[in-house]
């Protein structure tokens, strides 16, 4: 592959698709960009969500607070299993048809940047979320949503969580939808909408539209996960 192909490849993706394969030293611009992006990814993983600020920004939506059994960030990173287990504490068993949970996950910047715009877009596509409490979950892995949903008696749980940062995007959010949540479910039981961010990823409105479709279709067929294929972009035939 000639060096002339590199600009064309770089125009297609923000990923590092190719560095020059010659024996010479790495270009200084490439090295500095890598170091900057690597630092952003590390900061995202080790950062903390400003839960008080997030609660203010979500207003007037009410919020509830929950936490996993990972009591600090170091434990969270070493023990993924504890991030899936709900710490002791009272959550109301209100049996919501759909419970939204916002978890910090592996990127605090993703939560701070994407959670509020996504919640506003979801409220426009899912009016049932109006005035319904959102659970803010600290030390959360994806499966913590199942434990929270089960504790509240939810028919469905939607976990919005900071995704593992890469070297092109450090503030991307993922959304995971599960029908009849309960601890111990496999990943195959939920649907994922990922890469939600404002810099070339899935927009908040597009993500909300896709999630609203998955909610409706999941209820219709009585399943999420591998049984629920995302056909939200498929044109509908009119009679």
């Amino acid at each position: 592959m000639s060096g002339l192909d590199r600009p064309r490849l770089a125009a297609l993706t923000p990923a590092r698709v190719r560095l020059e394969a010659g024996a010479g030293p790495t270009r200084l611009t490439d090295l500095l960009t890598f170091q900057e992006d690597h630092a952003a990814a590390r900061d995202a993983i080790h950062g903390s969500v400003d839960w008080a600020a997030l609660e203010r920004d979500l207003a007037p939506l009410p919020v509830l607070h929950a936490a996993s059994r990972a009591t600090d960030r170091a434990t969270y990173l070493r023990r993924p299993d504890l991030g899936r287990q709900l710490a002791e504490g009272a959550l109301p068993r209100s049996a919501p048809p759909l419970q939204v949970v916002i978890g910090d996950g592996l990127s605090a910047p993703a939560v701070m940047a994407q959670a509020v715009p996504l919640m506003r877009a979801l409220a426009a596509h899912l009016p049932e979320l109006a005035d319904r409490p959102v659970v803010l979950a600290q030390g959360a892995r994806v499966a913590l949503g199942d434990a929270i949903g089960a504790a509240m008696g939810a028919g469905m749980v939607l976990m919005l969580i900071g995704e593992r940062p890469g070297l092109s995007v450090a503030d991307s959010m993922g959304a995971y939808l599960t029908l009849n949540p309960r601890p111990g479910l496999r990943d195959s039981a939920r649907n994922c909408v990922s890469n939600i961010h404002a810099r070339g990823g899935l927009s908040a409105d597009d993500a909300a539209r896709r999630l609203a479709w998955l909610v409706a279709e999941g209820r219709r067929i009585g399943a999420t996960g591998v049984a629920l294929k995302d056909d939200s972009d498929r044109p509908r035939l009119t009679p």
Side-chain angles (χ1 to χ4, degrees):
M1 181 178 294
S2 71
L4 294 176
D5 292 319
R6 185 181 178 190
R8 290 193 299 170
L9 289 172
L12 297 175
T13 173
R16 287 170 173 80
V17 292
R18 186 176 186 272
L19 294 177
E20 295 301 332
T26 301
R27 296 191 309 177
L28 180 59
T29 52
D30 291 330
L31 177 62
L32 293 177
T33 301
F34 173 84
Q35 291 176 334
E36 181 181 15
D37 291 342
H38 185 258
R42 288 178 58 88
D43 287 347
I45 289 174
H46 292 282
S48 299
V49 172
D50 187 339
W51 297 108
L54 183 59
E55 182 173 349
R56 289 194 302 270
D57 292 343
L58 286 169
L61 281 177
V63 302
L64 301 169
H65 291 271
S68 75
R69 292 183 58 200
T71 54
D72 56 69
R73 199 63 180 170
T75 302
Y76 172 84
L77 294 173
R78 290 197 309 267
R79 294 285 305 273
D81 58 313
L82 296 181
R84 303 182 185 106
Q85 301 174 37
L86 185 61
E88 292 187 9
L91 284 171
R93 193 167 180 81
S94 51
L98 174 63
Q99 180 59 55
V100 177
V101 181
I102 299 175
D104 45 6
L106 287 165
S107 176
V111 176
M112 298 306 297
Q114 320 304 342
V116 172
L118 183 53
M119 280 303 306
R120 289 174 179 161
L122 282 169
H125 288 273
L126 291 167
E128 66 183 272
L129 297 179
D131 302 323
R132 186 166 293 162
V134 178
V135 177
L136 306 184
Q138 185 171 352
R141 299 281 177 171
V142 170
L144 186 66
D146 298 339
I148 291 172
M152 299 182 71
M156 275 184 167
V157 66
L158 176 60
M159 168 66 90
L160 312 180
I161 193 166
E163 292 184 318
R164 184 186 304 275
L167 292 176
S168 56
V169 179
D171 62 351
S172 180
M173 173 165 275
Y176 296 81
L177 179 69
T178 310
L179 182 73
N180 298 325
R182 59 192 183 277
L185 286 178
R186 296 173 180 246
D187 289 339
S188 57
R190 47 183 149 260
N191 290 83
C192 174
V193 175
S194 64
N195 200 37
I196 304 168
H197 62 91
R199 293 179 295 128
L202 195 64
S203 71
D205 189 67
D206 285 343
R209 176 186 52 79
R210 183 167 297 182
L211 288 165
W213 187 94
L214 289 169
V215 168
E217 190 67 7
R219 286 171 173 165
R220 186 184 72 83
I221 68 172
T224 52
V226 295
L228 174 56
K229 183 179 180 181
D230 184 357
D231 288 331
S232 56
D233 291 330
R234 178 176 294 181
R236 295 293 180 181
L237 297 177
T238 55

